[in-house]
Structures are given as structure tokens and as C-alpha cells.
Amino acid sequence: MSSPGNGRRRRTRVTLRQVAEEVGTSQSTASRALAGHGYVAEDLKARVLEAAARLGYVPDISARTLKGQASGLIGLLVSDLRNQFYAQLAAGVEQTVAAAGHQVVLVDDHGESEHAARAARAFLAMRADGVLLAPTGREATELLVEHGTPVVEVDRRSGARSCDAVTIDSEAGARAAVEHLLQLGHRRIAVVVDETMWDTGKNRLKGYRAAHREAGVPLSRRLVLNLGLRPDDPQRDVAAFLDANPDVTAVFAANNVMAEAVWQEFKRRGAEVPGRYSMVSFDDLTWMRVVEPGLTAVRQPVYEMGSRAAELLLERIAGGTERTATRTLDPTLVLRGSTARP
Amino acid sequence: MSSPGNGRRRRTRVTLRQVAEEVGTSQSTASRALAGHGYVAEDLKARVLEAAARLGYVPDISARTLKGQASGLIGLLVSDLRNQFYAQLAAGVEQTVAAAGHQVVLVDDHGESEHAARAARAFLAMRADGVLLAPTGREATELLVEHGTPVVEVDRRSGARSCDAVTIDSEAGARAAVEHLLQLGHRRIAVVVDETMWDTGKNRLKGYRAAHREAGVPLSRRLVLNLGLRPDDPQRDVAAFLDANPDVTAVFAANNVMAEAVWQEFKRRGAEVPGRYSMVSFDDLTWMRVVEPGLTAVRQPVYEMGSRAAELLLERIAGGTERTATRTLDPTLVLRGSTARP
DNA sequence: TCCGCATATGGCATCGTTCCCATGTGAGAA
DNA sequence: TTCTCACATGGGAACGATGCCATATGCGGA
């Protein structure tokens, strides 16, 4: 590999100037040789490249960025990396961003918008070329947009002023799920949500209601279990709810966290699925197709959402499209064994 | 928030010089005021801070880094973000790194060491303060160490020259799992692995063998199903293996991917667990405690491994410890319903 | 012969911060 | 009075890469 015999840590990094001196030319010429544009004689260029490789030259992004070039960094802000949903999203983003030769700076705001704002400031400070946000407030988006950083919102929309967005049609997904239950003959369908402050939760509830209205089935406030943000022990709350509403025959869980709580509670009380309860989850994770019976679920193209958002952001950075674009992806209802007639 | 009425994109970012001019002082003084060290009169300092906030000043990390300061970036290289194992790891790392005021640059090498080497070069180029690697070859580690970047290897060790590492005791975990099966009376225990080139796979196989030796149960090559890296369709291979070895009564899956393949194949052929087969997984994911029966599994403290590795790296960056440290975390065997006497 | 142009190379200012150093003040000590 | 020292401020040189501009040469066409 690189220069032998140079003990452990190199004291200072190899700079372009050193490479230039090695071949007896100027920084300018060496720069052109490495960059591959501008006039450089073929043989000189080869010698510069060889020297750069031999000395282990690595260009300094800070200097390049300072001079006004792109930093090559894309910020990505998610709410909870431990949740498979966001992990998939991040994977999709990383894949696309890396393929374009950029790097992802990942921040997890744990659902706190204050933390998100801090992250936005950090993205600004590092001169990120663009940022992808699963927003938890409009502050971060606004800060970035105002400073001229391209932003694409993913999954959720902050309602902040114009920026691109890639989301999944929550309302349609929820409607399909609940329609399915209604068609099977269920009339008292519970819905379990943890947040209704962002458009994901709001729209899933909206879809739930729309399906009822369309089917002419009356809605009841009682059947909406709203646990609020980051509930301590959702399973306990679900248990209490089921005890209080013994007439419920089906449950629609608005996201994977809720689905797990509901499923575990069914298991704990030995309630048969789909015998006693039918169940549908919004979001389709590994475990839902592995359990017996499999969970009927609204599958979201999460990985794809990540990569589409990244593509959109890269286009925006390249300065392509002018007016802001919103892309909505369609979820699909995957039928498995957890749903049947009541 | 910041200055009102300034249309959309600010054309240029606010620099320290502009803040200084705003309060009628010099860059030097403004810098000291913001940095909070060196002599600055109290009232002047307050005015600088106020002006910085009012103008929406965000320091430029590139310039700071170029001047020789830390970049605040920590590189993290994982093999497959879609795998919950690495997502948990990344979450643990992010949490700890963010708490220390740094940012994580995340790269997924998809198990390709060539990709890993490219990532290492990128980390070098952006002057990452330190790097965490789940190595897929020694090249990346060596490149970074040689350039003087602190490196901590996580989960796997590359065997490259001295750098810190945080791993989980694969051999002990595997031994515990297989001992459990042996104690239940199993004598023909299959082991399913996909890689034996890194120490994780190697050591799990070692633990499997050690347990047999200790129990005085003869080993058979036939019972080792080695699928090799990234098998096309592991479930099919497992099926073929089970057909060819009908005397097997228990299966030890060496990681979560193998466990899923084995589990799905059991389900497909309607083989009762633990009636026909007992099963243990190395790595304990959500679905394993949700399925019926629950999977007996070797639980790895993955999130903790991530945060411990990050802590170690931060210490190393701070220049604390001198000699390299290796930390090994202990896995625990979680008994559930998938294991019983043959 | 002279101009224009493609080719080739080097000098140097620039990006925004940091920090060393020079400069300056006033108070208290010698 | 003069020296010292703590306090306070500004000038300006780095850091490393980039790219504009000046310079130089040789060749073909007018």
C-alpha cells in the first residue's frame, strides 16, 4: 500500500502542495491533473496521479467546501432509528445518496422538535448540500429553507412554507384497511393511534372515518383510542380499552408500534385472532408476516420512499426543477390471516 | 425568528466578519466573544451575541476544520442497515455521539470491502474525528489507522493492526445456546451459518463445537449448513438440508437472517416447533418474542454495543487511554417456547 | 510578418475561522 | 515616576483547494 516505513500516525496529512512538489510542478497544475479538467500534458498528469497515490494523498473536503464547492453531505433527520420504519427509510436514503457520491449525516431527534432545530443548525454549519426531514415541527424546515438549503420532507409534512415532500397516502391506506374490515361485516372497529398532531396520524384517522361514512356505518368517539405521544405502556392502555369496550370485533392499529402493543395484548389475554378479534396494521414489518396468523397490513414502500426522496433532493441540489414538487406513494393492503368475518 | 422581510434564499451566508461589522468591532474580538474564551468586555460580548443571533449567524465548520479544529464528524460504517441488528447498532452510536455534540456520517457498505475502503477514504477526506467500523476486510481499518484517525471496530474484528474494539462474545453465546439444546437431550443439532470468514461466524461455530466437545457428543460435518455470503434463497437451502438430514432434531441459527429462513421453512412444511424441531437463534429480534411459540434466542446487547463503542471512540479522540482497549460484552440466552426435549 | 488560437503552466487571491502577536489602557506596586 | 500586570482589542497569517488571470510557446492562416 502507501509509503512503507512511515511509523504509525502520519504527523500531518499530505497536501496538494506536497504532491506538486514531489513531481516538481505547481499546485494549480496538480489541481487540474487531479480534477481532470483544464489543460495538463498527459505525461505530467500521469506523474501527478502516480505521486498522489504513492503519497496517499486525500483531498481535504473542508478546504474544498470553504472555497465554495459542495460539501457532499446530505443531512437526514429521523424520529426514532430503533423503529424499523425509520431504519428502512434511512437505508433507502443512504443507498441513493451514496450512489450519487454523497454521504449521509444521520440525526435522530427522538421526536423532539427542539432537538430537530439543533440538528438543522448543525446541518447548516456543516454546509450540507441538502437535507431530508421527517419533520417534528416546522422550525427545522423553516430555518433550513430560509438559509437556502434544499429540503425535502419525508413521510410527514410540517406545513412549513414551500419545500418538496415525499409521503405515503395515509388516508387511502387507512381507508382500504377499514373498508376491508367493514366488508367482512365488522361494525365496531376500534382504531388505535399515538399521535394525531402530524398528518400521518391525522390522515389515518381521516381514512378510518371516510371508510365508515362511505359504508354508511355510524362513527363512535368511543372506538378511537388515542394514546398520545410516546405512551408509557401502550399495551396496558390497550388492555384497559378492550375491557371497557367488549363489543369491539376488530382493531385497526395506526402504526407498527401500536400494532405490536395490540398483538401482544391479544396474545396475553389469549384472545383468538381472527376468531375473537380481526386486526389490521398500518405498516408491514417482518414480524407481521412471520407470526401465525400473519397480520393483514397496509404495506408502505418505506425504502422506496427514502430513495425517492433522496432522488428528489439530489435533483433539487443540481438545480433542476423550479417549482416545488410533492410526490405521494401508494400503500397496498396485504391480506393475511388476521382478518375474517366477525 | 431571524431578520424578517428577507425574501427566500439568502444569497450569501452571514459570516463572522459581518457580525463584527454590525457591532463595530473586529473579527478577532467577535470570535472570542462567540467562543467564550480570551478577554472580551462583558457588554461587548453581549452585543456580539445579540448581533449573531439577530443576523442568524451560523459558524462555518469547514473553515473551522480547515484551521485545524475538530470536524465534529464521526464515521459509522455498517454492512446492512435494513438488518435490524445494524439499525440498533447505529441507533446506539447516534445516541451517544449526538449527546457529545458530534454528528454521525453513516455509510452502508452492503458487505463489500471495496465499498468500505471507499467509505474510509471519504471519512479521511472529510476529516472525521473518528470512525466506527463493522469491518468487512482489513483495508478500511488500516487506511484509517495509518492516517492517524482513531478507529473502533464494532461487532467484528478485522484482525488489522492495533485499534480498539467492542464486540460480543460470540463463542460464549453459541456455546450457551448449544449446551441448552444438548442438556435437553438433543444429539443431532444442525447449525446454519452464512459466513465463517469473520470472527462472528467463526466464533459461533467454535462455540457450537466447544459445547459438543464438553458434552462428549461427537461432531459431524454433515450437520453444519454453511450457506456462504449472501445466499440467494436461504430458505430453499434450508429445505434441501432438512430433507437430506431427517434425523436432525434441533437447529441453531447463527444470526437473525438465518433464523428467519429456518423459521419460515418450518412454517412452510408445517413442522411443529418444538415438537418436531427445537430451535435457537443467535440474535434476538422483535419478531422472535412475538411469534408463537417464542424463539429461544441469544440476546445481544446491540444498542449498548453501539453506545459503548462510541464512548470508547470519544475517549480515544479526547486522547485519553493510550494502549488499545478491547471490550467484550456478554450475550444472554433467553429461553422461550421453541426449545424442548426431542 | 503578424495575428489568433489551442495548449500548457504557474502565481496568487480567495473562502471563513482561529489564534498568535502587537498594541493599548489603567491600576497598583516599587 | 516608572515598571509590571491584568485586561481589552485589532491586525494578519495561516489552514488547503480552487480557479481566474497572466504568461509562454508553437502552429496555421491571412
Side-chain angles (χ1 to χ4, degrees):
Chain A
M1 265 251 126
S2 43
S3 54
N6 61 346
R8 38 212 66 263
R9 314 194 151 207
R10 189 165 299 178
R11 63 227 91 185
T12 58
R13 52 167 49 211
V14 179
T15 71
L16 186 58
R17 145 164 268 123
Q18 286 167 51
V19 174
E21 275 170 5
E22 181 76 10
V23 291
T25 182
S26 69
Q27 286 181 65
S28 316
T29 304
S31 175
R32 280 190 305 261
L34 267 336
H37 57 246
Y39 292 115
V40 193
E42 274 311 316
D43 61 326
L44 217 198
K45 181 170 176 177
R47 274 160 52 219
V48 170
L49 261 42
E50 181 276 330
R54 182 159 42 81
L55 297 179
Y57 169 72
V58 179
D60 189 311
I61 299 290
S62 310
R64 181 179 297 179
T65 304
L66 181 58
K67 191 71 218 306
Q69 311 294 100
S71 65
L73 298 178
I74 301 289
L76 170 61
L77 185 68
V78 299
S79 301
D80 179 13
L81 241 200
R82 306 182 77 161
N83 185 329
Q84 247 192 95
F85 176 86
Y86 290 107
Q88 295 290 319
L89 181 66
V93 168
E94 200 282 337
Q95 161 73 18
T96 301
V97 163
H102 294 182
Q103 322 294 136
V104 174
V105 179
L106 179 73
V107 178
D108 185 339
D109 68 6
H110 300 280
E112 290 163 39
S113 67
E114 177 211 348
H115 198 324
R118 254 205 312 281
R121 225 172 308 269
F123 292 148
L124 239 26
M126 69 181 68
R127 291 216 196 181
D129 297 334
V131 174
L132 293 161
L133 296 173
T136 53
R138 39 204 310 168
E139 202 181 344
T141 306
E142 274 169 358
L143 190 64
L144 289 161
V145 169
E146 188 184 340
H147 280 255
T149 303
V151 175
V152 174
E153 291 184 339
V154 203
D155 186 45
R156 292 190 288 244
R157 308 211 50 182
S158 69
R161 54 164 154 174
S162 60
C163 75
D164 300 334
V166 177
T167 59
I168 283 168
D169 193 337
S170 279
E171 187 178 345
R175 189 166 349 110
V178 177
E179 265 167 14
H180 170 61
L181 291 169
L182 287 166
Q183 273 163 18
L184 284 171
H186 293 275
R187 284 303 171 261
R188 284 168 311 282
I189 304 170
V191 53
V192 185
V193 273
D194 53 358
E195 56 87 8
T196 49
M197 40 188 347
W198 297 309
D199 50 4
T200 40
K202 253 196 278 256
N203 290 339
R204 287 169 203 183
L205 215 48
K206 214 192 250 180
Y208 166 87
R209 295 209 181 95
H212 278 76
R213 259 195 308 276
E214 274 170 36
V217 176
L219 282 158
S220 163
R221 263 229 146 64
R222 173 176 71 88
L223 296 178
V224 178
L225 175 57
N226 188 337
L227 298 181
L229 270 182
R230 10 203 105 262
D232 285 342
D233 184 353
Q235 189 179 336
R236 188 201 50 205
D237 299 334
V238 169
F241 173 85
L242 293 176
D243 288 338
N245 299 276
D247 58 333
V248 163
T249 63
V251 176
F252 170 52
N255 62 44
N256 72 60
V257 177
M258 296 300 98
E260 192 180 334
V262 171
W263 179 260
Q264 291 286 43
E265 177 54 22
F266 285 165
K267 254 182 65 177
R268 192 193 62 79
R269 57 173 62 200
E272 283 196 1
V273 175
R276 171 66 182 88
Y277 293 108
S278 279
M279 170 174 178
V280 183
S281 157
F282 198 109
D283 200 3
D284 183 20
L285 302 191
T286 322
W287 68 266
M288 300 176 183
R289 63 168 192 270
V290 169
V291 293
E292 198 61 51
L295 249 67
T296 292
V298 179
R299 205 187 78 77
Q300 309 186 70
V302 187
Y303 185 90
E304 193 194 345
M305 175 165 67
S307 59
R308 293 290 285 278
E311 279 167 16
L312 195 56
L313 182 62
L314 291 167
E315 273 174 35
R316 173 74 37 170
I317 290 170
T321 28
E322 196 43 57
R323 40 181 252 88
T324 64
T326 299
R327 213 143 285 169
T328 307
L329 305 181
D330 293 322
T332 50
L333 184 64
V334 180
L335 301 181
R336 296 204 184 92
S338 70
T339 44
R341 343 198 123 267
Chain B
M1 266 247 128
S2 43
S3 53
N6 60 343
R8 37 210 67 264
R9 316 196 150 205
R10 189 164 299 179
R11 62 228 94 189
T12 59
R13 53 167 47 212
V14 178
T15 71
L16 187 57
R17 143 165 269 122
Q18 286 168 50
V19 174
E21 274 169 5
E22 180 77 10
V23 292
T25 183
S26 69
Q27 286 182 65
S28 317
T29 304
S31 174
R32 279 191 306 262
L34 268 335
H37 57 247
Y39 291 117
V40 193
E42 272 314 315
D43 62 326
L44 216 197
K45 180 169 176 177
R47 272 160 53 218
V48 170
L49 261 42
E50 181 275 330
R54 181 159 42 82
L55 298 179
Y57 169 70
V58 179
D60 189 311
I61 298 291
S62 310
R64 181 178 296 177
T65 304
L66 180 59
K67 192 67 220 301
Q69 311 294 100
S71 65
L73 299 178
I74 301 289
L76 170 61
L77 184 69
V78 298
S79 302
D80 179 13
L81 241 201
R82 304 181 80 162
N83 185 328
Q84 248 193 93
F85 176 87
Y86 289 108
Q88 295 291 319
L89 181 66
V93 168
E94 201 282 339
Q95 161 73 20
T96 302
V97 163
H102 295 194
Q103 322 295 135
V104 174
V105 179
L106 179 71
V107 179
D108 185 337
D109 68 5
H110 300 280
E112 289 163 40
S113 66
E114 177 211 348
H115 199 323
R118 250 203 320 279
R121 225 173 309 269
F123 291 149
L124 240 26
M126 69 180 68
R127 293 217 197 179
D129 298 333
V131 174
L132 292 161
L133 296 173
T136 53
R138 40 202 311 168
E139 201 180 344
T141 306
E142 272 167 0
L143 190 63
L144 289 162
V145 169
E146 188 184 339
H147 280 255
T149 302
V151 175
V152 174
E153 291 184 341
V154 202
D155 186 44
R156 294 191 286 244
R157 307 210 51 182
S158 69
R161 57 164 151 174
S162 59
C163 76
D164 300 333
V166 177
T167 58
I168 283 168
D169 193 337
S170 279
E171 187 178 344
R175 188 164 350 110
V178 177
E179 266 169 11
H180 170 60
L181 291 169
L182 287 166
Q183 273 165 17
L184 286 171
H186 293 277
R187 285 301 172 264
R188 285 170 309 284
I189 304 170
V191 54
V192 186
V193 271
D194 52 358
E195 56 87 7
T196 49
M197 38 187 348
W198 298 308
D199 50 2
T200 40
K202 253 198 278 255
N203 289 337
R204 287 169 203 183
L205 215 48
K206 214 192 251 181
Y208 167 87
R209 296 210 180 95
H212 279 76
R213 260 196 307 277
E214 274 169 35
V217 177
L219 283 157
S220 163
R221 265 227 146 65
R222 175 177 69 87
L223 297 177
V224 178
L225 175 57
N226 189 338
L227 299 181
L229 269 182
R230 11 203 105 263
D232 285 342
D233 185 355
Q235 189 179 336
R236 188 200 50 205
D237 298 334
V238 169
F241 173 85
L242 293 177
D243 288 339
N245 298 275
D247 58 335
V248 163
T249 63
V251 177
F252 170 52
N255 62 45
N256 72 61
V257 178
M258 296 300 99
E260 192 179 335
V262 171
W263 180 260
Q264 291 285 43
E265 176 54 22
F266 285 164
K267 254 183 64 179
R268 191 193 63 79
R269 57 173 61 200
E272 284 198 358
V273 175
R276 171 64 182 88
Y277 292 109
S278 278
M279 169 174 179
V280 184
S281 157
F282 198 111
D283 200 2
D284 183 21
L285 301 191
T286 322
W287 68 266
M288 302 177 182
R289 62 167 194 271
V290 170
V291 293
E292 198 61 50
L295 250 67
T296 293
V298 179
R299 204 187 79 76
Q300 309 186 70
V302 187
Y303 185 89
E304 193 194 344
M305 176 164 67
S307 58
R308 293 289 285 278
E311 280 168 15
L312 194 57
L313 182 62
L314 291 167
E315 274 174 36
R316 173 73 37 169
I317 290 169
T321 29
E322 196 42 57
R323 40 180 255 89
T324 64
T326 298
R327 213 144 284 170
T328 306
L329 304 181
D330 294 319
T332 49
L333 183 65
V334 181
L335 300 180
R336 297 202 183 92
S338 71
T339 44
R341 347 195 120 270

